[in-house]
Amino acid sequence: MVLFVRGARGGERTSLSPREAETLRHIAAGCTYAQAARRMGVSMHTIDTYLRRVRAKFGIAGKAELTRLAVELGL
């Protein structure tokens, strides 16, 4: 399942891959990168990559904004 949402630039539609959405959900739930990586069966570097992609798509800087995005998306 791919989530289509409004991006950071001019209200354009962008999408989150299933793994980006899953990563965002774990981080918003309070997991560390290491905990999210263990739960998803990937490396912490992969978690960092997924979150960098999400931040770039939405112009987000910090963890609090990632959490806000996850709540808005119903993750």
Side-chain angles (χ1 to χ4, degrees), residues 37-71:
R38 270 195 306 276
R39 290 178 183 189
M40 294 174 65
V42 298
S43 73
M44 288 192 325
H45 177 74
T46 302
I47 297 297
D48 184 57
T49 298
Y50 289 149
L51 292 177
R52 271 191 277 119
R53 289 179 189 167
V54 172
R55 285 184 179 109
K57 289 177 182 182
F58 294 94
I60 290 174
K63 193 179 272 191
E65 291 178 276
L66 286 171
T67 301
R68 181 192 50 79
L69 176 63
V71 170

Side-chain angles (χ1 to χ4, degrees), residues 6-53:
R6 297 286 176 201
R9 296 176 221 112
E12 68 203 27
R13 282 175 54 115
T14 189
S15 62
L16 288 179
S17 72
R19 293 299 262 183
E20 290 169 347
E22 183 180 1
T23 303
L24 184 58
R25 187 172 58 249
H26 287 305
I27 296 303
C31 291
T32 65
Y33 280 33
Q35 290 168 331
R38 270 195 306 276
R39 290 178 183 189
M40 294 174 65
V42 298
S43 73
M44 288 192 325
H45 177 74
T46 302
I47 297 297
D48 184 57
T49 298
Y50 289 149
L51 292 177
R52 271 191 277 119
R53 289 179 189 167

